[in-house]
Amino acid sequence: QKEVEQNSGPLSVPEGAIASLNCTYSDRGSQSFFWYRQYSGKSPELIMSIYSNGDKEDGRFTAQLNKASQYVSLLIRDSQPSDSATYLCAVNDSGGSNYKLTFGKGTLLTVNP
Amino acid sequence: SAVISQKPSRDICQRGTSLTIQCQVDSQVTMMFWYRQQPGQSLTLIATANQGSEATYESGFVIDKFPISRPNLTFSTLTVSNMSPEDSSIYLCSVAVGTYGYTFGSGTRLTVV
C-alpha cells in the first residue's frame, strides 16, 4: 500500500512569516512530486511540481525534494492570508502505473493577519 | 494547461437513484481520472478512463457501482449508481498534462438523502 504522509495541522503562521509544509512517501521508486492548494469548497490547484533532488523556486514558493530520505517539502515565504488553504502533497506511483497519483491527507494552513 | 468543465457542480439525490457526472476537456487527452474526496479526507482514485477501452478501477471500486464512459478524447462521464448516504462526497475528474501535473475539474458535490 503506497502511502503519503502529511501533518494534518492546522499550521498557523503570522502574515509575512515562512510556512513550512512537509510530506513523506513510501514508494521509493516515485519520480514525480506535486503540491496542490485546495481552498475550502474548491478543487485542488497545482502550485508546484518537482522531479529532481534539491530545491525548485517559483515566486514565493520553494519545493524541496530528497529522494534518499523520501521527503518533499513546500516553503511559502512572506505568507499572506490568501495562502490560507489545505495543501496536498501528491506522489506518482512507480512501475507500470506511474501515471497514477497518491495524495496525502493534506495540511491545513492558516495565515493570521 | 487543459481546462476541464465539470457538471453538475452540486446535487442532492434520493437514495437508490443514480447521478451521472460529466467532464469536458478543451483538448484531447489520453487518460482521464475520476477521484472521490469524502468530507475531511484526501483524494482517492476511483478509476482511470481511456478512450476506446474499459475503465480501470482501483481496489474497492466496481464498475456496477461507478460505470464510466469515455466516448472520445475530450469527454467522460461517471455514474454513481444506487446511491446511499455513504456516497455523499465530492467527485472530481482530472487529466494529466505532460509532466506538469494533473489538472482537476471544479468538482461535483453530491449529497444523498
Side-chain angles (χ1 to χ4, degrees):
Chain A
Q1 181 76 10
K2 298 177 174 68
E3 295 181 345
V4 176
E5 300 286 344
Q6 296 180 252
N7 289 328
S8 61
L11 173 65
S12 183
V13 301
E15 184 175 356
I18 295 175
S20 178
L21 305 164
N22 304 315
C23 172
T24 59
Y25 58 94
S26 65
D27 187 348
R28 186 170 289 277
S30 294
Q31 297 295 322
S32 303
F33 307 86
F34 307 94
W35 283 99
Y36 286 85
R37 177 176 62 198
Q38 186 173 27
Y39 291 114
S40 180
K42 302 295 185 181
S43 63
E45 172 193 12
L46 179 66
I47 54 172
M48 288 288 287
S49 59
I50 187 167
Y51 308 98
S52 303
N53 281 330
D55 295 358
K56 178 182 178 182
E57 185 174 320
D58 183 0
R60 295 187 295 111
F61 299 98
T62 298
Q64 299 174 317
L65 175 62
N66 184 326
K67 291 183 181 179
S69 300
Q70 295 176 240
Y71 175 89
V72 58
S73 66
L74 180 70
L75 300 178
I76 306 174
R77 290 182 301 280
D78 189 23
S79 295
Q80 301 297 308
S82 59
D83 295 324
S84 298
T86 296
Y87 289 80
L88 301 169
C89 174
V91 177
N92 84 303
D93 290 2
S94 62
S97 59
N98 61 358
Y99 54 85
K100 294 198 296 186
L101 295 184
T102 299
F103 284 82
K105 292 185 177 181
T107 298
L108 176 61
L109 172 66
T110 300
V111 180
N112 302 304
Chain B
S1 62
V3 176
I4 305 174
S5 298
Q6 183 173 347
K7 60 182 181 181
S9 59
R10 59 179 62 230
D11 208 340
I12 300 173
C13 299
Q14 297 291 323
R15 66 177 68 200
T17 63
S18 298
L19 175 71
T20 295
I21 302 166
Q22 301 179 3
C23 273
Q24 178 76 51
V25 189
D26 68 347
S27 58
Q28 294 185 337
V29 293
T30 303
M31 289 188 285
M32 293 181 72
F33 307 92
W34 287 97
Y35 284 87
R36 180 174 73 181
Q37 187 173 30
Q38 294 180 303
Q41 301 297 314
S42 190
L43 284 77
T44 301
L45 182 64
I46 298 172
T48 302
N50 293 322
Q51 192 268 336
S53 64
E54 294 278 341
T56 302
Y57 289 83
E58 297 300 305
S59 176
F61 298 96
V62 295
I63 187 171
D64 290 346
K65 177 67 175 178
F66 297 101
I68 288 171
S69 76
R70 185 80 202 275
N72 57 54
L73 291 173
T74 63
F75 187 78
S76 181
T77 68
L78 169 76
T79 299
V80 186
S81 303
N82 188 25
M83 288 184 286
S84 67
E86 291 71 34
D87 295 319
S88 297
S89 188
I90 298 173
Y91 293 86
L92 295 142
C93 61
S94 173
V95 301
V97 186
T99 58
Y100 299 110
Y102 291 66
T103 297
F104 286 88
S106 54
T108 297
R109 184 178 295 271
L110 171 63
T111 301
V112 183
V113 297

